[in-house]
Short mmCIF file of all heavy atoms in Angstrom, two decimals:
data_model
loop_
_atom_site.label_atom_id
_atom_site.label_comp_id
_atom_site.label_asym_id
_atom_site.label_seq_id
_atom_site.Cartn_x
_atom_site.Cartn_y
_atom_site.Cartn_z
N GLY A 1 28.37 -11.90 -60.88
CA GLY A 1 27.47 -12.12 -59.71
C GLY A 1 27.91 -13.46 -59.09
O GLY A 1 27.78 -13.53 -57.81
N ARG A 2 28.30 -14.50 -59.85
CA ARG A 2 28.74 -15.72 -59.30
C ARG A 2 29.97 -15.46 -58.39
O ARG A 2 30.11 -16.02 -57.25
CB ARG A 2 29.07 -16.73 -60.41
CG ARG A 2 29.62 -18.04 -59.86
CD ARG A 2 30.04 -18.95 -61.04
NE ARG A 2 28.95 -19.33 -61.79
CZ ARG A 2 28.20 -20.41 -61.57
NH1 ARG A 2 28.51 -21.15 -60.42
NH2 ARG A 2 27.20 -20.84 -62.34
N GLU A 3 30.88 -14.62 -58.87
CA GLU A 3 32.05 -14.36 -58.03
C GLU A 3 31.70 -13.75 -56.75
O GLU A 3 32.31 -14.03 -55.67
CB GLU A 3 33.00 -13.52 -58.83
CG GLU A 3 33.64 -14.22 -60.13
CD GLU A 3 34.65 -13.30 -60.83
OE1 GLU A 3 34.83 -12.18 -60.43
OE2 GLU A 3 35.13 -13.76 -61.86
N LEU A 4 30.78 -12.76 -56.79
CA LEU A 4 30.32 -12.07 -55.61
C LEU A 4 29.58 -13.06 -54.66
O LEU A 4 29.83 -12.99 -53.44
CB LEU A 4 29.35 -10.94 -55.98
CG LEU A 4 29.96 -9.73 -56.65
CD1 LEU A 4 28.88 -8.74 -57.17
CD2 LEU A 4 30.92 -8.97 -55.77
N TYR A 5 28.83 -13.89 -55.23
CA TYR A 5 28.08 -14.85 -54.49
C TYR A 5 29.05 -15.79 -53.70
O TYR A 5 28.91 -16.12 -52.51
CB TYR A 5 27.16 -15.67 -55.34
CG TYR A 5 26.34 -16.80 -54.56
CD1 TYR A 5 25.20 -16.48 -53.91
CD2 TYR A 5 26.82 -18.05 -54.44
CE1 TYR A 5 24.48 -17.44 -53.18
CE2 TYR A 5 26.16 -19.02 -53.73
CZ TYR A 5 24.98 -18.73 -53.17
OH TYR A 5 24.30 -19.68 -52.45
N GLU A 6 30.08 -16.31 -54.48
CA GLU A 6 31.04 -17.14 -53.90
C GLU A 6 31.85 -16.52 -52.78
O GLU A 6 32.46 -17.22 -51.89
CB GLU A 6 31.87 -17.88 -54.94
CG GLU A 6 31.07 -18.80 -55.86
CD GLU A 6 31.93 -19.36 -56.98
OE1 GLU A 6 33.02 -18.80 -57.23
OE2 GLU A 6 31.43 -20.25 -57.77
N ARG A 7 32.06 -15.31 -52.86
CA ARG A 7 32.87 -14.57 -51.98
C ARG A 7 32.10 -14.15 -50.72
O ARG A 7 32.60 -14.14 -49.63
CB ARG A 7 33.42 -13.35 -52.64
CG ARG A 7 34.47 -12.54 -51.64
CD ARG A 7 35.23 -11.48 -52.53
NE ARG A 7 34.37 -10.45 -52.91
CZ ARG A 7 34.13 -10.15 -54.21
NH1 ARG A 7 34.63 -10.83 -55.15
NH2 ARG A 7 33.39 -9.11 -54.56
N SER A 8 30.77 -13.78 -50.81
CA SER A 8 30.03 -13.16 -49.75
C SER A 8 28.81 -13.96 -49.28
O SER A 8 28.33 -13.68 -48.21
CB SER A 8 29.64 -11.81 -50.18
OG SER A 8 30.63 -10.97 -50.63
N CYS A 9 28.35 -14.91 -50.07
CA CYS A 9 27.08 -15.52 -49.75
C CYS A 9 27.07 -17.04 -49.56
O CYS A 9 26.19 -17.60 -48.95
CB CYS A 9 26.05 -15.19 -50.83
SG CYS A 9 25.98 -13.46 -51.31
N ILE A 10 28.07 -17.70 -50.22
CA ILE A 10 28.05 -19.16 -50.32
C ILE A 10 28.10 -19.87 -48.91
O ILE A 10 27.58 -20.88 -48.80
CB ILE A 10 29.15 -19.60 -51.21
CG1 ILE A 10 28.98 -21.09 -51.63
CG2 ILE A 10 30.57 -19.40 -50.46
CD1 ILE A 10 30.00 -21.54 -52.68
N THR A 11 28.70 -19.24 -47.97
CA THR A 11 28.79 -19.87 -46.65
C THR A 11 27.49 -20.16 -45.99
O THR A 11 27.31 -21.18 -45.42
CB THR A 11 29.63 -18.94 -45.70
OG1 THR A 11 30.98 -18.69 -46.29
CG2 THR A 11 29.93 -19.63 -44.38
N CYS A 12 26.56 -19.29 -46.16
CA CYS A 12 25.28 -19.39 -45.61
C CYS A 12 24.19 -20.03 -46.51
O CYS A 12 23.27 -20.71 -46.03
CB CYS A 12 24.69 -18.04 -45.07
SG CYS A 12 25.68 -17.35 -43.69
N HIS A 13 24.30 -19.71 -47.78
CA HIS A 13 23.27 -20.05 -48.74
C HIS A 13 23.61 -21.31 -49.59
O HIS A 13 22.79 -21.63 -50.45
CB HIS A 13 22.82 -18.86 -49.57
CG HIS A 13 22.24 -17.68 -48.86
ND1 HIS A 13 20.98 -17.92 -48.26
CD2 HIS A 13 22.71 -16.58 -48.46
CE1 HIS A 13 20.63 -16.81 -47.65
NE2 HIS A 13 21.66 -15.94 -47.82
N GLY A 14 24.79 -21.82 -49.47
CA GLY A 14 25.19 -23.04 -50.13
C GLY A 14 25.78 -22.80 -51.55
O GLY A 14 25.52 -21.77 -52.14
N GLU A 15 26.41 -23.87 -51.96
CA GLU A 15 27.04 -23.83 -53.32
C GLU A 15 26.15 -23.71 -54.43
O GLU A 15 26.45 -23.04 -55.44
CB GLU A 15 27.98 -25.07 -53.46
CG GLU A 15 28.71 -25.00 -54.75
CD GLU A 15 29.61 -26.26 -54.89
OE1 GLU A 15 29.65 -27.11 -53.92
OE2 GLU A 15 30.36 -26.33 -55.90
N ASN A 16 24.93 -24.38 -54.34
CA ASN A 16 23.94 -24.35 -55.44
C ASN A 16 22.65 -23.60 -54.99
O ASN A 16 21.58 -23.98 -55.48
CB ASN A 16 23.64 -25.76 -55.85
CG ASN A 16 24.92 -26.56 -56.31
OD1 ASN A 16 25.60 -25.99 -57.21
ND2 ASN A 16 25.14 -27.74 -55.81
N LEU A 17 22.83 -22.60 -54.14
CA LEU A 17 21.62 -21.80 -53.69
C LEU A 17 20.70 -22.58 -52.84
O LEU A 17 19.60 -22.20 -52.57
CB LEU A 17 20.84 -21.25 -54.85
CG LEU A 17 21.64 -20.46 -55.99
CD1 LEU A 17 20.68 -19.88 -57.03
CD2 LEU A 17 22.59 -19.42 -55.42
N GLU A 18 21.04 -23.82 -52.39
CA GLU A 18 20.12 -24.67 -51.69
C GLU A 18 19.99 -24.38 -50.20
O GLU A 18 19.17 -24.97 -49.54
CB GLU A 18 20.57 -26.16 -51.87
CG GLU A 18 21.71 -26.57 -51.02
CD GLU A 18 23.05 -26.21 -51.72
OE1 GLU A 18 23.03 -25.47 -52.63
OE2 GLU A 18 24.16 -26.74 -51.18
N GLY A 19 20.79 -23.49 -49.73
CA GLY A 19 20.72 -23.05 -48.31
C GLY A 19 21.63 -23.95 -47.45
O GLY A 19 22.05 -25.04 -47.93
N GLU A 20 21.78 -23.53 -46.20
CA GLU A 20 22.51 -24.32 -45.26
C GLU A 20 21.80 -24.31 -43.92
O GLU A 20 21.30 -23.32 -43.51
CB GLU A 20 23.94 -23.67 -44.95
CG GLU A 20 24.92 -23.71 -46.17
CD GLU A 20 25.35 -25.19 -46.43
OE1 GLU A 20 25.23 -26.04 -45.54
OE2 GLU A 20 25.92 -25.46 -47.58
N PRO A 21 21.57 -25.60 -43.31
CA PRO A 21 20.84 -25.60 -42.05
C PRO A 21 21.51 -24.73 -40.99
O PRO A 21 22.64 -24.71 -40.76
CB PRO A 21 21.01 -27.16 -41.72
CG PRO A 21 21.32 -27.86 -42.99
CD PRO A 21 22.10 -26.85 -43.89
N ASN A 22 20.54 -23.98 -40.33
CA ASN A 22 20.93 -23.13 -39.16
C ASN A 22 21.82 -22.07 -39.64
O ASN A 22 22.39 -21.29 -38.75
CB ASN A 22 21.55 -23.85 -38.13
CG ASN A 22 20.77 -25.03 -37.53
OD1 ASN A 22 19.49 -24.89 -37.42
ND2 ASN A 22 21.33 -26.17 -37.28
N ARG A 23 21.95 -21.78 -40.87
CA ARG A 23 22.71 -20.65 -41.42
C ARG A 23 21.95 -19.74 -42.30
O ARG A 23 21.91 -18.49 -42.07
CB ARG A 23 24.01 -21.20 -42.11
CG ARG A 23 25.06 -21.75 -41.21
CD ARG A 23 26.29 -22.10 -42.09
NE ARG A 23 27.35 -22.69 -41.28
CZ ARG A 23 28.51 -23.09 -41.76
NH1 ARG A 23 28.84 -22.96 -43.06
NH2 ARG A 23 29.40 -23.71 -41.03
N GLY A 24 21.43 -20.27 -43.41
CA GLY A 24 20.69 -19.45 -44.34
C GLY A 24 19.73 -20.25 -45.14
O GLY A 24 19.92 -21.43 -45.41
N PRO A 25 18.63 -19.62 -45.53
CA PRO A 25 17.60 -20.34 -46.34
C PRO A 25 18.07 -20.56 -47.82
O PRO A 25 18.97 -19.97 -48.24
CB PRO A 25 16.34 -19.40 -46.26
CG PRO A 25 17.04 -18.00 -46.13
CD PRO A 25 18.23 -18.19 -45.34
N SER A 26 17.26 -21.40 -48.47
CA SER A 26 17.50 -21.61 -49.94
C SER A 26 17.12 -20.32 -50.69
O SER A 26 16.12 -19.61 -50.38
CB SER A 26 16.63 -22.70 -50.34
OG SER A 26 16.64 -22.81 -51.81
N LEU A 27 17.86 -20.04 -51.72
CA LEU A 27 17.58 -18.86 -52.59
C LEU A 27 16.94 -19.29 -53.81
O LEU A 27 16.68 -18.49 -54.78
CB LEU A 27 18.84 -18.16 -52.88
CG LEU A 27 19.64 -17.55 -51.65
CD1 LEU A 27 20.82 -16.83 -52.20
CD2 LEU A 27 18.68 -16.70 -50.85
N ILE A 28 16.50 -20.57 -53.99
CA ILE A 28 15.79 -21.04 -55.15
C ILE A 28 14.40 -20.60 -55.13
O ILE A 28 13.69 -20.79 -54.23
CB ILE A 28 15.94 -22.60 -55.25
CG1 ILE A 28 17.34 -23.09 -55.34
CG2 ILE A 28 15.04 -23.11 -56.37
CD1 ILE A 28 17.55 -24.60 -55.34
#
């Protein structure tokens, strides 16, 4: 799941699930 996240989700949701401003919310 980490590999999938880093490939498909990390750009918007951040390296530590904290989210990115104007891109994606936190997943915590």
Side-chain angles (χ1 to χ4, degrees):
R2 178 188 292 275
E3 293 181 3
L4 290 170
Y5 179 86
E6 292 175 349
R7 184 170 68 243
S8 304
C9 315
I10 194 171
T11 303
C12 295
H13 294 290
E15 183 177 359
N16 298 310
L17 313 183
E18 75 277 11
E20 293 290 340
N22 302 320
R23 287 188 181 179
S26 169
L27 298 183
I28 297 174

